[in-house]
Amino acid sequence: MDKRYEVHCLVDRHFYETPDRLTAPGAEGDDALFEPARRPAPGRWRTARSGDWLHLIPDGRQLPPQGWKIHVSATADSAEKTAAAVWDYCIPRGISFKFVPSRPLLHLRNSKYAARDGSGKFVTVYPQDEEQLHTVLTELHEIVGGRPGPYILTDLRWHEGPLYVRYGAFERRYCLDERGTLVPAVEDGEGRLVPDTRNPAFQVPAWVPLPDFLAPHLAARNATTVGELPYRIEKALHFSNGGGVYRGTGTRDGRAVVLKEGRPYAGLAADGADAIARLERERTALERLSGLGVAPAVRDWCTLGDHRFLVMDFVEGRTLNSYFAERHPLLTTDPDPAALADYTAWALRIHRAVEEAVEAVHGRGVVFNDLHMFNIMVAPDERSVVLIDFEAAADVSDRSRQVVAHPGFCAPAGRTGTDTDRYALACLRLALFLPVTTLLAVDRGKAAHLAEVIAAEFPDVPREFLDEAVAEITRDGGAATALPDPGDWPRSRDSMVRALLASATPDRDDRLFPGDVAQFTEGGGLGLAHGAAGVLYALAETGAPRYETGERWLLDHTDPAPPGTPPGLYDGLAGVAFVLDGLGHRDRALDLAGTVLGERWQRLGSGLHGGVAGIGLVLDHLARTTGERDFHERAVEAAQLLADRMAAPATPGPVRAGLLHGATGPALFFLRLYERTGAPALLELAEAALRADLERCVRTARGALAVDEGWRTMPYLGDGSVGIGAVLDDYLGHVPGSDLAEARSGILAAASSRFYAQPGLFQGRAGMIWHLARTTAPGAAPDHLARQVAALGWYGMAYQGELAFPGHQMMRLSMDLATGTAGCLLALGTALGDRTAQLPFLPRPHGRP
């Protein structure tokens, strides 16, 4: 589970939302703001908000683009006084600074699953140069030195804190990292933009000398090492903002152990307890459970610096979630009845073992409070289980709400004590067969539908086993809402359109339609993947009435485009230009294309999503629709640039494969340009690019061809084999005898699985529907498509009584093209519509009915 998403679930029960809106009017209100955040800006100063920061900037003062910056950490109790102290110090001296303006936002920044690279950063001060850096550190330390605060992992601590320093960017500049992703940048010693790395460890760029006055502090930092512990750490198992979890061996007895780290003031739970307090809770609970055999035994309690380590016996086995990829019988096109029966027997046995373990825990007066599949270790015999991670455990008499819990197993408000574990056990009954219980975080009424799906797919599951789960999950509310079946077109289309329009917020500037958390980064609210352009495109492609208010919003918010908006097809301005041109707004489309050409687009990565291939396709499209020769010449320039990159032996190839980020994007561009120009070299380049991505694919145990990412295999449209297959189909329309055709059967199997974890277009079932609706691969059968369309309903949710779909991670609904309802709408339109709905530059191939 991607922990970035949890913090975006705190504001709205339906959609991902920026956490800074917790302090907006109608949410927490001004009372949540620290006193300095309520002060008016002094004369010749201005304030600005960006994300969870409040900036104070003196007029006329020009900062360098990068340099040494000072961070100040704080606790909830010390934050207000610390912010006031920094304000009172910096304002008279004309020093720019920013700070987190409210208690809720500070809590989120230091919460357990907050980003480790931002942990502890409460205030940032921007000195003009190294001399001022030294002065500010010295003088500000006299004022706030020694106050408590979380250790800032990316920085070097000044004395005992809470002041820290690191070298990095002051102003927003961007470059591509090794994965082709646009990231914050600094200028290196040769004037090139390189990633401003923010790994959770202090690093000085190679071209930057460490100031002499920081050297003693670096030496002090390096003086403390884990070698002081009586354990040899062998492997990091997990990291969170509260600390790491490590596998190790005792140097005194050779015993295999797990060391769990707690950092003071960091890794906060909902009740404000830091990682050390939670580690102490876990130690207490495990000691009470000693001898039961259902929880790890405590071996030691260590201190290293100001960190604590709970040392436990290493538990042999694997977490329950790890069994799904190899055991789950729905990960194939036609599940074998015997495999279904065997899996059902195994799952029922495992669930009973977990129930018995929980009953034993309750018998010792302890509530687990965080039961989910990642916290259940299945023994090598696959019969017994051990529960792990008791940091949320409490006494059975404690009536407090859960403070740390997996969203797919978190009990609703009002459930406390042993009821929280019973709720999680009920969710586990469903998740063992259909692991999509994060949907219950949006609507618990979905439990009844999931039970019906399980009963149909797994006929040997006892009906009472499912009915009891639904009754427990919904016993205090959660009636299901009747929704149209996705295959009931155009009724399903009209319902999805009503849901999309009901979700629109034309009064907001950051986004029009709610979608993935990516929309809150630069340009996300505008673009094709996660922004307004993608939803408007899906509406147009599926024959929905025009949403003129939305078109006007997109026109207004690109006049001009916000600074820093990426230029690419799916992430930025090129995609917006493509959509606006299709909607008849050609003048704005040409303006945006001109903006793209005014950027250094040649330095972008090669991919379709945000790189040269996507921009080249849009330029070629505009050359056709406008007749302007310059666009065609620039498209040819893009093709030549991609060809040169492929031919350069010293240039590393794409580190990712697939349609959006791999060589398949350039293959699509070469293919479309070939269809326009007839140049044979372009067809050869398309073949070479497709071959490069197919070499990154492997056959799974079930015969599907999938992209091998090293730690997982990907079948999906965006980053997996199905996206490669879509362009391969088009290529084979020109070269039907190519040996690349051998891959089609494996890709067809990848698109025909009975189960996918998510519904979205680029990383879920909707992408499989889209592919099956247009593929010309031999063996593609209508019943494969029909089953995928019907199964899309597994994820259907109600929004204002209409059909909508959850986004990535399925903790909230999404309306965007890449992850949510608009993408499902487009896929269903491709499969069922009476017009040719298509993805950009991927029309229905010749020969497909």
Side-chain angles (χ1 to χ4, degrees), residues 765-830:
R765 193 182 295 272
M768 309 310 179
I769 292 171
W770 177 87
H771 179 64
L772 292 173
R774 77 181 292 277
T775 186
T776 55
D783 64 315
H784 291 158
L785 175 59
R787 282 187 290 181
Q788 296 293 16
V789 169
L792 188 64
W794 297 1
Y795 320 87
M797 307 287 285
Y799 179 68
Q800 296 195 12
E802 305 294 348
L803 177 62
F805 289 91
H808 195 53
Q809 303 292 307
M810 299 204 301
M811 295 158 66
R812 290 294 185 270
L813 303 180
S814 170
M815 298 300 180
D816 70 27
L817 181 74
T819 71
T821 306
C824 295
L825 172 67
L826 183 76
L828 290 170
T830 304

Side-chain angles (χ1 to χ4, degrees), residues 636-714:
V636 172
E637 179 188 351
Q640 186 62 57
L641 176 61
L642 293 172
D644 291 345
R645 290 180 182 179
M646 291 176 60
T651 303
V655 296
R656 300 168 73 176
L659 177 66
L660 294 184
H661 302 284
T664 298
L668 175 62
F669 177 37
F670 292 139
L671 197 59
R672 295 294 168 251
L673 205 57
Y674 164 76
E675 291 167 349
R676 183 176 181 195
T677 67
L682 289 167
L683 198 58
E684 294 171 3
L685 286 166
E687 178 192 355
L690 284 169
R691 199 175 294 277
D693 266 5
L694 287 170
E695 288 175 355
R696 297 282 306 278
C697 295
V698 295
R699 290 271 181 175
T700 69
R702 294 176 171 87
L705 194 71
V707 169
D708 183 6
E709 293 192 340
W711 61 285
R712 64 179 179 179
T713 55
M714 294 288 278

